[in-house]
Amino acid sequence: MSADLQTVAQLLEATLDPRQNKQAESALLQEEGKYRFSLLLLEIVASEAYPYNTRLASALCFKNFVKRNWTDEDGNHKLPQDEVGAIKQTLVGLMISVPPRIQSQLGDAVSIIADSDFWERWDTLVDDLVSRLTDDNAVVNIGVLQVAHSIFKRWRPLFRSDDLYTEINHVVGKFGSPFLTLLQNTDQLIEANRDNKPYLQQLFSSLSLINKLFYDLSCQDLPPQFEDNLSAIASLWHKYITYDSKLLQTDDDAEAGPLEFVKAGIFEVLVLYVQKFEDAFGPFLTQFISSSWNLLTTIGSETKYDILVSKALQFLTAVAHVEQHAQNFNNEETLSQVVEKVILPNLSLRESDIELFEDEPIEYIRRDLEGSDSDTRRRAATDFLRQLMEKFEKPVTDVVSRYIDHYISDYQKDPKNNWKSKDTAVYLFSSIAAKGTTTSSVGVKSTNTLVDVVEFFQKNIARDLVEDNEIEPILKVDAVKYLYTFRSQMTKQQWHDAFPLLVKHLASSNYVVYTYAAITLERVLALTDENKQPIFTKADVSPLAKDLLDHLFNLIEKESAAEKIQENEFLMRCVMRVLIVVKDGIIPITFSVLAHLIKITQIIRVNPSNPRFYYYHFEALGALIRFAAPSHPEKLENALYVPFAEALEHDVQEFMPYIFQLFAALLEANPSGSLSDYYKSLIQPILMPSLWESKGNVPALVRLLTSIIPRGAVYMAQNDQVEPVLGIFQNLISKKANETFGFDLIESVITNFPVTTLQPYFVQLLTIMLTRLQNSKTEIFSLRFVRFYHFVSARDQQGLGSDYFITVADQVQADVFAPLYTTIILPETQKLAKPLDRRVAAISLTKTLTDSTAFRDRYKKGWGFTCEALLKLLENPPLPLSTDDAIPDQDVDDLGFGVGFTQLTTCRPVPKDAWPEVTDVKRWVSAYLKEGDGRLGGQITTFVQERVPSQEAKAVMVSYMQA
């Protein structure tokens, strides 16, 4: 059945209406399954008969459709071949003709398709692109270059490989020469149209994309065509770094124009060429060093120049990294000029920085703190200064120290009016004091030995933290940030002295000050000493916890709108950290904290707009559940069910994976309790196939289901819910991405349901697994299957065991077990790495030797092989499980929000140990063999002598049985 154009267009328009967007998105998902749906989306994108926003929504929908439906996990196309071909034929021409924002969405789709198909399954693409390049139509050329960039930019982060270089050579061989011709033509057209503003702007947009493609095409190696023409290319780059035209300048001081973007793009490529191809490009560098210096010493302070200044400074940083070029800076006079004319103008506060501080405080914080400031002047100037420090530590320290002293002295003359001088001094000192990489976990790891970080703090900064009056808020922030930056350089005692000052600044009326205080408190609470012990313990923080948390929640809840509550993720991260540190010290105030977290959940579910905030929010809930739920399991279950159920009922998809994890954590906190009616009502909805279609839901749903089953197996069996669970298992192991979750689920089923309940399904379950093993085996699947076998084999007390498995296998296919055992189970057993897996394998093999009738009578050689496998496993016996309850520090920047599943670390599942009584595996094996030998009248001893071929193995087995 084909999708209907008008229906799809109406649904796309409805997605733009907040009142009906959820229903419209669900209806669009239904349309997705219809034939040629993707081509209807492209038809809507192409048609100017539809409103612009509808066309943009269609492009976005197409991108997401391609992301979900282009290929399966084996790389095979999921769409019919005629549809695949039609998309490829349509997409390039369409992308060239649509407006920029639509072009951007289609470009992302092209990149996704190229990931799987380019170049071997789309070998006509480069020829198509080249054929569309024109001599003078800038609009068409921009479209072609946009398509090319969306494909070739994929190479930038990749490691070199033969396949990658084959692809690049395919592109460069066809695209390289026409690309250079386009550069020459564009330059000639710019010369001929200096007074034609609209056309000149188009040509510079084209030139900006040409710069991006220079980077793409050179990111792995220097293309031969570029190397042969390097002199001409360098000449053109230099021309446009020094180019000026009033027609390309913007009237807005905050908005960069096409000229700034072209120059910034050239500097970005220059950085690459200095870092990777200095041997070839070195002869052309001098002119660029001179021009970048001239640019940096004459350019204005307006924010529209920020990206250009940043890129120019990055270029000089790359140059200073090369020994022969760094020597150009190696004298005090030159260094003084660099500091005075380049570093200081770009480190000093500008009016625009102060306006950002006052008007958009959260944006100021993110730019300044998170490392997202790579394109700010301050960051680029700091990096340049530190590169010079790395080469010439003492002269740079001496020069900069004189400027620091000057600015401190200037501040002391008139603190009220000269406060900016102190800000510059503190920033300069931090720039030369820090060495190496600054990490989000510990801050600065090593410092410049020529300066004293603690002394500078005590003489110049501590007063700003202690005194309340007449201190500029930015200086307060500088003081707090100094502690944040150099937190690892302070002793435990120094931190215990400074901690109350940080807490005091949470009460500041200034948004940036109290947020920096929360940021620093959170990082300090996560600090550990050289023995990995926390600087601040539960005993230190518990007495302060109530006041600290109340204050943080008051700051978060200061405004009631959903978007304002979740604006400041740093406050919620601090809440999370306090809960982690105080652990079960939170129990006395559990329900006060819970009330705040529930209130926030109910407000932000209406419009979840900040993934970082709600990630920390759910981590905080996870910590509360982990440490308080064992004491109040029913109360927490009852309190949290309503807000969580509301979020699920309103289809808040952003929250679902987190809520499923937290439901599971509540159940795991009270494993012996009965299953409440709340959870019983959850079972049927979470068994619905539609819920499992989202990749992000799968791990969380499996965890929830495996937490429900131990408490609800009887109820589920009575309500015919076993078969749907097994259907989910079948679906999970059919996909490589989900196979481990499938095995987690089936092991929970086998552990908790009686064999009689599962008997009708066992043959089908094993058939499914063996089919996967035969047709699309992966290393992970093989290991999980082997673990599954041992899991069944070791559970003879439940009516399972190796004989049961063999009986089922015979029903799948007669005599299939012997080759399965010798070619997969025994060899793969030795690859099991996790302690629990190796332990269950040792238990399984031991019980097979003593308890299996089939191995005694039918698989006599197999008995000997089993004996050897067991001894080999015991050469490296599994260690007891670690009891470390430390919560790993998760860097939020490493998380792919919206891409898939994000695990909550505060309530991560504890590995389930089915045999906790087996602590010393060797001792247990020895005792079990000895007991079995006695039970069987010495038969095990006889089998060892008859069936184990190696004399050494015989001796070791006998020693185990006599120990």
Side-chain angles (χ1 to χ4, degrees), residues 389-408:
M389 276 278 301
E390 189 177 304
K391 296 291 184 183
F392 319 114
E393 185 172 72
K394 188 172 189 316
V396 170
T397 302
D398 291 344
V399 167
V400 174
S401 293
R402 287 200 293 271
Y403 283 98
I404 292 170
D405 292 343
H406 163 75
Y407 282 109
I408 290 289

Side-chain angles (χ1 to χ4, degrees), residues 580-599:
I580 289 172
V581 172
V582 300
K583 299 184 178 180
D584 56 3
I586 203 65
I587 290 173
I589 57 169
T590 294
F591 295 99
S592 166
V593 174
L594 186 62
H596 285 291
L597 293 173
I598 287 174
K599 176 183 175 182

Side-chain angles (χ1 to χ4, degrees), residues 844-862:
S844 158
L845 295 174
T846 305
K847 289 188 172 185
T848 297
L849 293 175
T850 58
D851 302 340
S852 170
T853 303
F855 275 85
R856 280 203 300 272
D857 302 334
R858 182 175 170 186
Y859 301 119
K860 296 178 181 179
K861 281 188 178 179

Side-chain angles (χ1 to χ4, degrees), residues 778-790:
T778 64
E779 180 75 10
I780 293 172
F781 188 91
S782 297
L783 289 172
R784 286 306 303 260
F785 174 78
V786 169
R787 171 176 142 161
F788 171 77
Y789 165 77
H790 289 305

Side-chain angles (χ1 to χ4, degrees), residues 479-712:
V480 175
K481 189 183 175 187
Y482 190 93
L483 291 176
Y484 170 84
T485 303
F486 296 105
R487 58 191 179 275
S488 292
Q489 306 305 313
M490 295 174 63
T491 65
K492 188 170 184 175
Q493 185 55 52
Q494 286 169 337
W495 264 122
H496 278 267
D497 293 340
F499 194 81
L501 296 175
L502 285 176
V503 174
K504 183 184 82 167
H505 281 82
L506 283 177
S508 169
S509 60
N510 185 278
Y511 188 106
V512 183
V513 173
Y514 69 65
T515 300
Y516 265 87
I519 289 165
T520 307
L521 278 169
E522 188 277 327
R523 287 291 78 198
V524 172
L525 290 176
L527 270 183
T528 57
D529 61 21
E530 61 274 8
N531 300 314
K532 302 298 182 186
Q533 296 304 305
I535 297 290
F536 286 93
T537 65
K538 169 182 155 183
D540 296 324
V541 182
S542 289
L544 308 171
K546 184 180 186 306
D547 291 341
L548 200 52
L549 289 168
D550 282 346
H551 201 78
L552 287 164
F553 282 125
N554 287 338
L555 292 172
I556 292 169
E557 297 167 9
K558 190 186 292 187
E559 297 189 52
S560 58
E563 60 273 13
K564 293 302 291 182
I565 276 188
Q566 60 193 308
E567 175 185 75
N568 194 331
E569 67 267 20
F570 305 106
L571 298 175
M572 185 53 78
R573 186 175 187 178
C574 193
V575 169
M576 174 199 76
R577 184 63 56 192
V578 172
L579 293 172
I580 289 172
V581 172
V582 300
K583 299 184 178 180
D584 56 3
I586 203 65
I587 290 173
I589 57 169
T590 294
F591 295 99
S592 166
V593 174
L594 186 62
H596 285 291
L597 293 173
I598 287 174
K599 176 183 175 182
I600 292 168
T601 305
Q602 291 174 320
I603 293 172
I604 66 174
R605 75 161 173 79
V606 177
N607 178 25
S609 57
N610 185 349
R612 294 177 181 219
F613 180 92
Y614 56 75
Y615 164 72
Y616 290 128
H617 171 70
F618 286 117
E619 285 282 24
L621 274 165
L624 189 66
I625 290 168
R626 175 173 177 170
F627 298 119
S631 301
H632 305 291
E634 288 86 4
K635 287 183 178 178
L636 261 72
E637 281 185 24
N638 293 339
L640 285 168
Y641 184 84
V642 172
F644 285 178
E646 285 175 352
L648 297 180
E649 286 166 14
H650 286 85
D651 195 30
V652 186
Q653 295 184 15
E654 297 90 338
F655 287 7
M656 285 185 179
Y658 297 124
I659 287 174
F660 295 143
Q661 290 178 78
L662 294 174
F663 269 140
L666 284 165
L667 286 164
E668 290 158 2
N670 184 26
S672 59
S674 60
L675 195 67
S676 69
D677 289 340
Y678 285 145
Y679 283 105
K680 288 176 182 175
S681 67
L682 262 184
I683 296 173
Q684 195 58 45
I686 67 173
L687 294 179
M688 298 296 291
S690 58
L691 208 53
W692 295 78
E693 290 173 2
S694 167
K695 292 178 183 178
N697 284 348
V698 169
L701 282 169
V702 169
R703 181 179 175 189
L704 176 55
L705 205 44
T706 57
S707 301
I708 287 173
I709 287 171
R711 284 166 62 169

